[in-house]
Amino acid sequence: MKKIKFLALSATVMVMLFSCQKKEITEETPQNIYEPTKEQLDKLYDMGINIDDVSIQEITYLDGKTSKYFVSGDILVPVSDLDSYPKLKSLDDGNKQYRHVNIVSPANRNIDILGYTGGNLGLTSKMQTALSWAVNNYNALPNSLNFNLTFGTDYVPADIVVYKVNNANGGGSAGLPNAQGKPYKWIQINSGMDAFSVNVNEHVIGHEIGHCLGLRHQDWYNRQSCGYSGPLPAESPAIWIPGTPFSAFADSIMLACFGPNEDGEFTDTDKTALNILY
């Protein structure tokens, strides 16, 4: 479910923040939802995944294949691959930008990304523009990543496919690179995003592309962007990207929650993290 938080930024200003953390349910692709076992939760915990609200869902994608995933916010982890992920070692506090254990390998960094336009799952014109802007942001960076963007319905050869699902909430979902170094293929954007500006859509799509490349939430450990006040999710964190700075300020496109006034652009920290990784 979408989480909506009201945070007081000053004595008189309140801003509504929308979480990327939600469960995707579409009319076209109904899902069964299951509870993970304690052993599975323990393994996710050791991977630095937030286990406060994890479920197992059967998700059917455009290719008709149905697989079971652990769903933690907007991050999907394949159930069948759980044992292949190593535990992460604890790191000192004070780190800034984080990645998954897998990133995209050099052989897979020329990425064909498709904006799907077919039927009810096709991106709206606003979402298509936002996808173009988000891809331009990635291609403007001086690193080894190169995105080739097309629009259409031939999703089979694409490395990443961005499409719309019937969900009135804002946000979207994506997964993380696999052990073979390929980016995660499917990005679902909720139909509710059409109520937001192109810039906010650019932000959410750019965020989900970041997950496909291996980036984790900058505030995974405290979800400060969501106004979260519960217990910390894990002691063994996601992997810090060496060379990225520390600050107490929330300054990344990879924050767990987004607001209605996002500009969709990378921060300097985002650029540093991506250029160090790639």
Side-chain angles (χ1 to χ4, degrees):
M1 298 294 293
K2 180 181 70 176
K3 297 179 180 178
I4 301 177
K5 301 292 182 181
F6 290 86
L7 300 180
L9 300 186
S10 69
T12 59
V13 179
M14 302 288 284
V15 175
M16 183 180 293
L17 296 177
F18 301 84
S19 174
C20 291
Q21 303 178 7
K22 51 192 58 70
K23 301 179 178 70
E24 310 302 332
I25 301 177
T26 76
E27 292 178 353
E28 297 82 2
T29 56
Q31 304 167 82
N32 294 317
I33 300 177
Y34 310 90
E35 294 294 325
T37 66
K38 181 181 183 302
E39 290 75 16
Q40 290 171 328
L41 288 174
D42 288 344
K43 180 58 183 290
L44 291 169
Y45 181 98
D46 289 335
M47 291 166 56
I49 299 292
N50 189 323
I51 62 171
D52 286 350
D53 187 23
V54 175
S55 63
I56 298 174
Q57 299 184 22
E58 291 183 347
I59 300 177
T60 302
Y61 289 105
L62 286 174
D63 57 3
K65 295 180 180 178
T66 298
S67 298
K68 289 183 179 180
Y69 290 85
F70 296 104
V71 179
S72 174
D74 67 327
I75 296 178
L76 309 179
V77 177
V79 173
S80 60
D81 291 347
L82 184 62
D83 290 339
S84 69
Y85 293 109
K87 296 180 179 181
L88 300 179
K89 297 179 180 179
S90 296
L91 298 173
D92 293 334
D93 291 337
N95 298 326
K96 184 65 173 177
Q97 203 83 0
Y98 300 90
R99 69 172 178 89
H100 181 52
V101 63
N102 300 327
I103 63 173
V104 179
S105 65
N108 296 302
R109 292 179 185 175
N110 191 40
I111 299 169
D112 291 326
I113 183 168
L114 174 76
Y116 188 75
T117 58
N120 293 332
L121 300 181
L123 298 177
T124 65
S125 60
K126 181 184 292 185
M127 294 173 183
Q128 292 180 42
T129 299
L131 174 57
S132 296
W133 291 2
V135 168
N136 287 341
N137 290 340
Y138 279 96
N139 280 339
L141 298 177
N143 57 38
S144 59
L145 292 170
N146 178 59
F147 286 85
N148 306 302
L149 174 63
T150 58
F151 291 94
T153 59
D154 187 11
Y155 56 81
V156 175
D159 299 303
I160 297 177
V161 180
V162 186
Y163 67 102
K164 173 172 64 70
V165 294
N166 183 22
N167 188 326
N169 296 327
S173 69
L176 298 159
N178 63 21
Q180 290 71 48
K182 293 184 178 180
Y184 188 78
K185 181 159 185 167
W186 307 106
I187 294 176
Q188 297 178 330
I189 301 300
N190 289 352
S191 57
M193 285 305 303
D194 214 38
F196 293 87
S197 69
V198 177
N199 281 333
V200 176
N201 276 263
E202 176 191 11
H203 175 96
V204 170
I205 292 173
H207 175 108
E208 301 305 340
I209 292 174
H211 283 319
C212 292
L213 300 175
L215 291 181
R216 294 283 296 273
H217 292 145
Q218 185 191 54
D219 57 343
W220 68 272
Y221 54 91
N222 64 5
R223 284 175 286 165
Q224 61 178 328
S225 64
C226 308
Y228 180 71
S229 59
L232 298 182
E235 294 178 358
S236 55
I239 302 173
W240 170 57
I241 301 173
T244 60
F246 169 77
S247 92
F249 300 106
D251 63 347
S252 174
I253 200 171
M254 296 308 299
L255 292 170
C257 289
F258 68 95
N261 299 311
E262 305 291 354
D263 63 11
E265 305 305 314
F266 288 136
T267 66
D268 288 342
T269 299
D270 294 325
K271 295 175 182 177
T272 298
L274 284 162
N275 290 335
I276 288 172
L277 277 186
Y278 294 110

